[in-house]
Amino acid sequence: MTEQLTQDRTTTPTSLWRSRNFLLLWSGQTVSEVGTRISGVAVPLLAADVLDASVFQVSLLTVLAWLPYLIFSLPAGILADRVDQRRLMIGCDLGRAALLLSVPVVALVGHLTLTFLYAVVGLCGVLTVAFTVAYRSLLPALVPVGDLTSANARLEVSENLAQLAGPSAGGMLVGLLGAARTFVADGLSFVASALTLFLVRHRPGPQADGRVPVRAALTEGLGFIRRQRILALVLACTATSNFFVIATRAIEVPYLLRVLHASPVTIGLLFSLGSVGGLLAGVLAGRLTALLGGARTIWVSMAVPGPLYLLMPLARPGWGALLYGVGTAAFAANAVLFNVAAMSYRQRVTPARLLGRVNAAFLWICYGVIPLGALLGGTLGSRLGLRPALLVCVLGMWSAALFVVCSPLRRMRDFPPA
C-alpha cells in the first residue's frame, strides 16, 4: 500500500479535466464555498435584524466562528491521520448541513434565540476545522504530485469566485426569503459537497499509528515543521501576514467610511475589485509558477506586490478611493499565488501519514493569530488614527516577506523532488 501511494504521488502530470476524483472534489467545494459566503451575510443580519443583537453580540458570532481553529486544530489533525479522510469530510458536511437547516425550522416554530444561533455557529466551526484539515490532506492522494499546483490554483479560483458572488447572492436571498430561510441555501450546498465526496473513488492510504500517545501525536506535526527549515519559515511568513491582514480588516470599513467618505456601494465595489485580483492570479497561477518556478514563486509573490499595498493608506476621497481597491487587488493576487505555491510545497514534502497533523499545526498557528491581529488593528486605529494605523498594518503585511526572501528559497527555482 505504501509503495502504491508513493507511486501515485509522483506520477507524471496529466490534465485535471480528465481527473474524475478532482472534478468531483472541485465542484463540491465550489458550491459549498458559495453557500458559506451566503451564510456570512445571513448570520449577522439574522442576529442584528431579527434577534435584535447588540454590536458586541454580533461580534461574538465572528469569535465563535474562528475560535475552534485555536482549540480543535491539533486534535483534528490526529483524527484526520487516523481515519478515512473522505468519510470524515462527508460526515462534517452532513453535520453542517443539519445544523444550518435547523435554523429555519426552529425559526418557523418560533423558538429561535441568539443562544441557539451561537450554538449553530460554534458547532459548525468545529466541523469546519475537521473538514479543512482532512480536505488539505486528501488532495495529494487524489492528483499526481505534478498536478498539485494546478489543483490548488483551481480551488483558489473557486474561493475567489465565491467571495465575489456569494455576498451579493446572500444579500439578494435575504431580501427575497428573509434571513432565516436563507440558511437553506447554505445547508443544501453542504449536502451537494457531501454527495460529490461520496462519488469520489479513493482507497485510503497508510494511516498514523493509533498506539502513539495523544500528547505525542499532538506535537508530532509541530516537530516535523521545526525540523524542516523552509516549512518553518513559510509558517512564520503566513502567520505574520495573517496577523497584519486581520489588523487591516479590523479598521478598513471605518477608514473607508470616515476618512475616504465612501458610500456603502463604493465600499462593496472596492472589495469586489480586490476579489478580481485574486481571481486573475488564480487563473494564471499555473503559468506563472511554471515561468518562475515553484520555490521562487513563494518569495516573489510575497515581496514584489508589497509596494502597491502602500496605495491603501495613500487613497483619497472621490476617485482617489480606487487606489485602495488597487492595493487590495495586489494583496489578493499575492495571497493566491503564495497560498498555491506554499500549499503545494507542504503537500510535497510532508509524509502522507503526517500530513493531517502538519496541516492542523499550520491552521492552529496561522488562524490562532487572527483574534490578536484584530485587537492590534483596533488599538492602533483608536490611538494613532485610521490612516497612520493602516500604514503600520500594510508595512507589517509586506514585512512578512522577509521570512521567505531571507531563506534558502531565494537560491532555488523549483522544489526538490518529492
Side-chain angles (χ1 to χ4, degrees):
M1 181 69 74
T2 303
E3 292 178 358
Q4 179 64 39
L5 182 65
T6 303
Q7 183 180 2
D8 289 344
R9 291 185 68 180
T10 56
T11 301
T12 302
T14 58
S15 173
L16 289 174
W17 293 109
R18 294 196 297 268
S19 174
R20 176 181 182 274
N21 285 340
F22 175 74
L23 291 176
L24 285 168
L25 176 69
W26 186 20
S27 59
Q29 278 304 289
T30 301
V31 173
S32 66
E33 283 287 348
V34 173
T36 299
R37 297 306 185 280
I38 289 174
S39 66
V41 174
V43 168
L45 286 177
L46 179 63
D49 291 347
V50 178
L51 301 177
D52 296 322
S54 66
V55 174
F56 177 75
Q57 288 173 326
V58 173
S59 69
L60 284 180
L61 291 167
T62 303
V63 173
L64 288 170
W66 288 102
L67 191 60
Y69 284 99
L70 190 60
I71 299 174
F72 297 107
S73 287
L74 295 182
I78 298 177
L79 182 63
D81 281 337
R82 292 185 176 180
V83 303
D84 184 335
Q85 293 158 351
R86 184 180 67 93
R87 292 183 179 180
L88 175 60
M89 293 165 67
I90 292 173
C92 291
D93 272 340
L94 294 177
R96 289 185 290 183
L99 286 167
L100 292 168
L101 292 173
S102 71
V103 173
V105 174
V106 173
L108 185 63
V109 298
H111 293 297
L112 182 62
T113 63
L114 196 57
T115 301
F116 182 83
L117 189 59
Y118 284 154
V120 169
V121 171
L123 291 173
C124 280
V126 173
L127 294 174
T128 298
V129 170
F131 181 93
T132 303
V133 172
Y135 157 59
R136 295 185 176 181
S137 305
L138 178 65
L139 182 63
L142 298 183
V143 301
V145 68
D147 285 332
L148 280 176
T149 297
S150 296
N152 283 314
R154 283 166 169 77
L155 293 167
E156 286 283 343
V157 167
S158 293
E159 185 172 342
N160 278 273
L161 280 173
Q163 290 174 351
L164 190 62
S168 299
M172 291 176 59
L173 288 173
V174 170
L176 292 173
L177 305 175
R181 293 178 182 175
T182 303
F183 280 76
V184 174
D186 195 11
L188 292 179
S189 75
F190 287 120
V191 173
S193 176
L195 178 60
T196 59
L197 287 168
F198 180 78
L199 296 174
V200 168
R201 298 170 184 169
H202 168 61
R203 182 174 57 184
Q207 296 170 355
D209 189 352
R211 294 171 296 181
V212 177
V214 172
R215 185 173 181 179
L218 280 173
T219 58
E220 198 169 1
L222 291 169
F224 178 80
I225 294 171
R226 283 198 300 268
R227 294 190 298 272
Q228 297 282 332
R229 184 186 176 197
I230 292 178
L231 206 58
L233 290 170
V234 169
L235 174 58
C237 174
T238 308
T240 303
S241 178
N242 281 359
F243 179 81
F244 286 105
V245 167
I246 295 302
T248 301
R249 295 288 183 265
I251 60 175
E252 66 179 351
V253 171
Y255 171 76
L256 293 170
L257 284 173
R258 300 173 186 173
V259 178
L260 302 188
H261 308 295
S263 67
V265 173
T266 301
I267 292 173
L269 291 174
L270 292 175
F271 288 168
S272 295
L273 180 58
S275 298
V276 169
L279 180 61
L280 291 175
V283 171
L284 299 175
R287 296 179 182 178
L288 291 174
T289 302
L291 177 65
L292 296 173
R296 190 180 294 160
T297 299
I298 291 180
W299 69 265
V300 168
S301 63
M302 288 297 299
V304 172
L308 294 176
Y309 305 164
L310 299 175
L311 295 177
M312 298 161 70
L314 292 176
R316 291 293 183 268
W319 286 103
L322 284 174
L323 295 177
Y324 191 92
V326 174
T328 57
F331 173 75
N334 147 37
V336 169
L337 290 174
F338 175 82
N339 287 341
V340 168
M343 175 67 71
S344 301
Y345 175 74
R346 186 161 88 231
Q347 291 166 338
R348 289 170 64 100
V349 302
T350 306
R353 68 175 186 86
L354 275 176
L355 190 53
R357 278 163 288 172
V358 170
N359 284 329
F362 263 78
L363 289 176
W364 182 56
I365 294 175
C366 294
Y367 288 178
V369 302
I370 284 178
L372 299 176
L375 182 62
L376 174 72
T379 302
L380 290 177
S382 61
R383 296 191 176 184
L384 301 180
L386 290 170
R387 194 184 294 275
L390 188 61
L391 177 61
V392 172
C393 292
V394 298
L395 288 174
M397 289 161 52
W398 193 15
S399 73
L402 292 174
F403 287 104
V404 287
V405 171
C406 302
S407 78
L409 288 168
R410 193 164 52 87
R411 298 184 295 275
M412 300 165 57
R413 183 186 186 279
D414 289 303
F415 302 131

